Amino acid sequence: MERLQKVLAHAGVASRRKAEEMITQGKVKVNGKVVTEQGLKVSDNDVVEVEGVKLEKEQKVYYLLYKPRGVISAVSDDKGRKTVTDLLPHVKERLYPVGRLDYETSGVLLLTNDGDFSYALTHPKYKVDKTYVARVKGVPLKEQLRPLERGIVLEDGKTAPARVKLLSSERKADKSIIEITIHEGKNRQVRRMFDAIGFPVQKLKREQFGFLTLHGLNAGEWRELTTHEVKQMRVLAETGKIGK
């Protein structure tokens, strides 16, 4: 017997938190009856429906995608734009991106149907590093980058301290390349952080998620995570250290 929200998360319907919201909203039925209270436990013999669709157990799958620019980090788009799931047409399981990269940002993006895995890597209480390389307009001095290291106050709250490294700069071209590592996932966070200090991002790429990198991949390509990598990422989320 497992809690209903955990069953929904394991089936890839949504993260556990989102599954709880769906239950509260009356979108879930168990054996034909709407369930709105949290904590109900179900077994393999119970029939679970979400928005009228019977829940089918899927094998858990985990992919690392090199997301190109100009692709939406979603499973569908009402404007008809290409989505990240369009880049993995062979996958029969329902995939969901783990967090998001905005339309114009490229780089490491994980996709899975394991809601618990996604939750562990995106919830603020788990501090999994994400490293970006940004091309920004202007040539900042070290002291101008320090606010990023202390935390920037944005409209949705103060960011956690970031690790920042100036990789190169060109005064004639009025641009710089800066590496920044954060563990949060606020909407367009890196772009807004640089806007806040007066150095707008011209191009942005996520180079690393935890210990996972784009090594061996070109834009639009993907690979499956190994069983060991999945285990390591879980341990990293829970302990802040890479498992062996």
Side-chain angles (χ1 to χ4, degrees):
M1 301 284 285
E2 286 190 304
R3 290 180 181 272
L4 180 57
Q5 58 265 44
K6 187 174 182 180
V7 170
L8 295 179
H10 281 168
V13 173
S15 69
R16 197 175 301 187
R17 174 181 287 182
K18 184 65 176 178
E20 290 172 352
E21 293 176 4
M22 297 175 77
I23 292 169
T24 301
Q25 293 165 0
K27 296 181 178 180
V28 182
K29 289 183 179 180
V30 176
N31 300 326
K33 295 183 179 181
V34 175
V35 176
T36 57
E37 293 184 7
Q38 306 296 330
L40 177 70
K41 291 188 176 182
V42 296
S43 71
D44 289 340
N45 296 322
D46 290 310
V47 177
V48 180
E49 296 175 69
V50 180
E51 297 182 317
V53 179
K54 183 179 177 182
L55 193 67
E56 301 290 346
K57 291 192 174 181
E58 294 181 329
Q59 177 182 353
K60 298 296 183 293
V61 291
Y62 309 86
Y63 292 91
L64 187 158
L65 170 70
Y66 184 162
K67 177 195 169 300
R69 297 171 66 189
V71 178
I72 297 292
S73 295
V75 297
S76 62
D77 180 61
D78 56 10
K79 297 180 181 178
R81 293 170 294 184
K82 182 177 287 189
T83 70
V84 290
T85 52
D86 291 333
L87 300 176
L88 293 88
H90 70 289
V91 180
K92 64 181 184 298
E93 292 84 4
R94 293 170 296 173
L95 290 177
Y96 300 88
V98 178
R100 292 176 181 270
L101 291 179
D102 68 55
Y103 187 70
E104 289 298 331
T105 299
S106 64
V108 177
L109 184 69
L110 302 181
L111 297 102
T112 185
N113 60 350
D114 185 340
D116 279 349
F117 180 79
S118 180
Y119 178 82
L121 295 180
T122 57
H123 193 276
K125 73 178 180 180
Y126 301 106
K127 299 179 180 180
V128 180
D129 283 344
K130 305 168 189 71
T131 298
Y132 298 77
V133 172
R135 186 182 74 200
V136 305
K137 179 175 174 56
V139 180
L141 301 173
K142 285 187 177 180
E143 53 265 32
Q144 291 175 297
L145 294 176
R146 288 201 181 103
L148 302 178
E149 299 173 334
R150 294 193 294 264
I152 290 282
V153 177
L154 303 176
E155 58 269 25
D156 52 353
K158 186 176 181 180
T159 65
R163 297 199 304 274
V164 185
K165 182 188 298 184
L166 178 64
L167 299 181
S168 65
S169 59
E170 296 179 45
R171 292 201 173 276
K172 287 186 178 180
D174 193 33
K175 66 180 183 180
S176 302
I177 306 297
I178 300 173
E179 180 184 277
I180 180 169
T181 300
I182 62 174
H183 62 252
E184 298 166 298
K186 298 178 188 291
N187 183 44
R188 297 175 64 83
Q189 179 174 337
V190 173
R191 293 180 185 276
R192 290 190 293 140
M193 289 173 73
F194 279 107
D195 281 343
I197 63 169
F199 296 93
V201 171
Q202 297 175 328
K203 190 174 182 180
L204 185 62
K205 180 180 179 183
R206 184 157 71 188
E207 293 280 2
Q208 195 162 329
F209 191 142
F211 60 86
L212 298 171
T213 71
L214 296 167
H215 179 71
L217 296 178
N218 295 313
E221 294 182 340
W222 53 268
R223 69 173 179 84
E224 287 190 68
L225 296 186
T226 67
T227 301
H228 187 57
E229 285 174 328
V230 172
K231 178 182 176 182
Q232 284 183 310
M233 288 297 282
R234 290 186 191 279
V235 173
L236 179 61
E238 293 171 2
T239 68
K241 299 177 182 179
I242 297 176
K244 296 182 178 181

